[in-house]
Amino acid sequence: MKVIQIDKNDWNRGIDASRKAYHLFGPVTDNNQSMFKQLAPDQYPDMEKPDTIMSPKSVLFPQTEKLLGATLDPTAENHHIMERPETDYSPRAVIGIRPYDARAVALVKLNFDTPEYRDPYWCDAYAATTFVGLAVNQPSVTDFSTAMGSGPFAEEGLDALLVDAGDLYLAKVLTPKGEAFFSAAGFDTVADTDESLEKIEQLKNKAETAMGPLAVFTDKLAQKSILDLHGAPFWEDLAFTCINCGTCTFVCPTCWCFDIQDETKGNSAARFRNWDTCMSPLFTKHGSGHNPRGEKTQRVRQRFMHKLKYFLDKYDSGTMCVGCGRCVEKCPVNIDIRQVCNKMNSYEPQK
């Protein structure tokens, strides 16, 4: 394990040096909110406010993405032939991504990059991206990531992990991509490995202790019957509260629902992929008019069953929740996925 020591006074110089090789993305303050955005040439990641409203999932999965385009001009040789547009997949780096958001990328990859099907848009963006994480020294009260397979200092999905150690960052180099980024930034001061890892472990223990005991349980979900959970009585109560606003799916780092729209203007045609939400009744409405999830209860059940049961059964890689707590914090009617998870985990059907 290689650990690099970065003096914070040298941080901006390294960021500027890395711009020569990477498009940079990072947390910035916009309208008093912390957001992940592509950094302007004179902009630096705000490492003091890395807890963003949204995860950086849009770096790989834009909210609106042009998939195909065609000309409708009959005089053109390739008219009416849909073609993939040219897209810039030169190296990019996401700086300051939290460990739970990096795990979210790893979970989404299971769906977008399978042995049977590879989404070329998501996969090409993923291959171009280096993830430089920032450990969570002070977890929020809604952070339950340690209960969902991640944690404030987790490394899954990261190429490097920065740890704020006061006047400096200790950077664990985890992959060749991470090594290349630090080389481009000129960060090359190797720290004493044993001493640094001991310091990192101390900060990790402090952060995990601050989170306290997390009473969120998933240990029985795999053994539960889908049909039993599907027929559980608590979905009606949950749906009564839910207003189907879709905020939970919008801020979730692992939600990937989308729809496809074709548009024409003049002699141009284009196919777009847009984020969508399973909370919307239109999302599953068929062209015939039939809607398999036309009722609110069906949509609420689908959201939690997908995240906590279907995904777990299909991929055997844990639930599709990373415990970031965004949906808990932003839900306008205080629906708490931690409580739903415990209801599902402990549910026993009446015989």
Side-chain angles (χ1 to χ4, degrees):
M1 172 64 67
K2 181 179 179 181
V3 181
I4 291 175
Q5 178 177 309
I6 304 170
D7 190 315
K8 287 186 177 178
N9 292 323
D10 199 33
W11 175 250
N12 285 356
R13 182 208 58 74
I15 293 298
D16 285 333
S18 69
R19 296 183 204 271
K20 298 174 185 175
Y22 295 87
H23 299 294
L24 301 183
F25 296 79
V28 297
T29 301
D30 186 6
N31 291 325
N32 296 320
Q33 304 278 8
S34 185
M35 306 283 289
F36 255 98
K37 288 191 172 182
Q38 183 167 359
L39 302 180
D42 59 348
Q43 199 171 28
Y44 300 92
D46 188 350
M47 304 296 273
E48 300 301 318
K49 296 181 179 178
D51 293 327
T52 52
I53 294 177
M54 307 280 291
S55 79
K57 70 176 178 180
S58 62
V59 176
L60 309 181
F61 182 42
Q63 193 168 355
T64 294
E65 184 171 21
K66 185 177 180 180
L67 302 181
L68 298 168
T71 177
L72 306 180
D73 182 354
T75 64
E77 184 177 349
N78 62 338
H79 70 88
H80 291 82
I81 298 176
M82 301 292 275
E83 297 174 328
R84 184 179 176 183
E86 290 189 9
T87 304
D88 182 2
Y89 289 114
S90 56
R92 58 186 77 171
V94 177
I95 302 170
I97 181 175
R98 289 304 205 183
Y100 42 67
D101 285 337
R103 172 167 167 77
V105 172
L107 293 179
V108 172
K109 187 173 187 292
L110 294 173
N111 183 69
F112 281 74
D113 188 10
T114 74
E116 298 81 21
Y117 179 75
R118 177 182 182 273
D119 184 302
Y121 307 93
W122 191 95
C123 290
D124 288 351
Y126 175 82
T129 305
T130 298
F131 296 97
V132 181
L134 177 63
V136 185
N137 284 12
Q138 296 178 318
S140 72
V141 294
T142 55
D143 184 340
F144 59 107
S145 55
T146 53
M148 307 308 278
S150 182
F153 283 61
E155 299 172 2
E156 182 182 7
L158 290 173
D159 297 298
L161 176 65
L162 297 169
V163 177
D164 189 334
D167 295 332
L168 53 84
Y169 293 114
L170 295 174
K172 296 175 77 172
V173 182
L174 304 172
T175 71
K177 275 187 169 183
E179 179 87 42
F181 176 80
F182 289 130
S183 177
F187 295 138
D188 54 7
T189 303
V190 178
D192 181 287
T193 302
D194 293 339
E195 184 179 323
S196 299
L197 292 178
E198 183 179 351
K199 176 66 175 178
I200 291 171
E201 190 65 21
Q202 290 173 356
L203 291 170
K204 175 186 174 185
N205 291 337
K206 184 178 179 181
E208 291 181 349
T209 301
M211 295 173 76
L214 298 174
V216 185
F217 303 103
T218 62
D219 56 305
K220 299 177 181 175
L221 287 171
Q223 286 73 47
K224 299 294 180 185
S225 157
I226 284 179
L227 290 180
D228 285 346
L229 287 175
H230 192 274
F234 49 76
W235 300 120
E236 290 286 350
D237 292 338
L238 200 59
F240 180 79
T241 306
C242 179
I243 58 175
N244 267 192
C245 65
T247 298
C248 51
T249 60
F250 188 68
V251 300
C252 178
T254 66
C255 278
W256 63 59
C257 286
F258 61 84
D259 70 355
I260 301 292
Q261 293 184 0
D262 289 342
E263 297 182 6
T264 60
K265 183 178 182 180
N267 277 335
S268 297
R271 174 165 294 175
F272 293 94
R273 173 163 65 184
N274 302 306
W275 286 7
D276 206 336
T277 170
C278 59
M279 291 290 99
S280 165
L282 287 178
F283 180 62
T284 48
K285 191 170 185 178
H286 298 181
S288 66
H290 171 64
N291 193 339
R293 293 202 291 271
E295 301 298 325
K296 188 168 71 169
T297 301
Q298 296 168 321
R299 297 191 291 276
V300 171
R301 177 172 57 202
Q302 165 64 21
R303 165 171 161 71
F304 291 108
M305 286 289 281
H306 186 204
K307 288 206 171 294
L308 303 174
K309 180 58 178 171
Y310 301 150
F311 184 90
L312 183 151
D313 286 358
K314 182 174 182 179
Y315 295 111
D316 193 24
S317 295
T319 68
M320 204 176 82
C321 172
V322 294
C324 67
R326 289 186 178 93
C327 63
V328 178
E329 184 180 345
K330 299 300 180 185
C331 178
V333 295
N334 298 321
I335 291 176
D336 192 328
I337 193 172
R338 296 170 295 188
Q339 297 173 3
V340 180
C341 185
N342 286 342
K343 282 180 181 290
M344 294 174 64
N345 192 64
S346 62
Y347 179 67
E348 295 294 342
Q350 292 184 347
K351 302 298 182 183

